[in-house]
Amino acid sequence: MSAEISFFDLFLDASLLVQLVMLTLLGFSIACWTMIFQRRKVLMAARVQLQNFEDKFWSGADLSKLYSEVSAKEHIDGIENLFVSGFREFARLRKSHAYAPQVIVDGTHRAMRVALSREVDSLETHLPFMATVGSISPYIGLFGTVWGIMNSFIALGAVEQATLAMVAPGIAEALIATAMGLFAAIPAVMAFNRFSHNVEKLENSYGNFMEEFSSILQRQTATEQHG
């Protein structure tokens, strides 16, 4: 004996509430996969940009020329935004001739810290939604399952002679909701963990660059003062 299970038939036969639960979970899943592909593209681009910029920065390029080249771009983000923000503040404070070298370096560091915070916020876009979907989807699916099984047993109690064949379809319809909850939650949790790790690595790299750049500017201001 064999039985073919059609997801579409089970969906149509389910109660209205269970159908709403399934549609909600399907929407969560579609939204999550869209965000996963988008975040993957953004984080990969940020890693490539980081590598390319650091290669250029540490190749001994003139900082003023590098600043002019980067700031001329239409869209500046990632590590380039940290560099532009820091060098712009450094040039502004140094030009005024009213600040001590340490004040100039501290002001530059603060400007880069603000830029770093904004970049991290941008990289973490959609991650809270993925975490939420990963946390609540199984419970939403379980709610649909409990509701569907409860309706099946209520209907079973209304007949004089109960058989497994009478209750099995209703239970199968209800269990689909739990399966969909897991289908939405598992990719969301995996993507959240992976992307969070990638953002943390980028943040550490940005922070290291910020400290190294500040040290370079500090040496430069000290040399100018003693010169």
Side-chain angles (χ1 to χ4, degrees), residues 34 112 198:
T34 302
M112 287 191 291
N198 290 342

Side-chain angles (χ1 to χ4, degrees), residues 28-39:
F28 282 170
S29 182
I30 293 173
C32 263
W33 278 108
T34 302
M35 295 174 185
I36 286 171
F37 287 119
Q38 192 266 347
R39 281 296 93 191

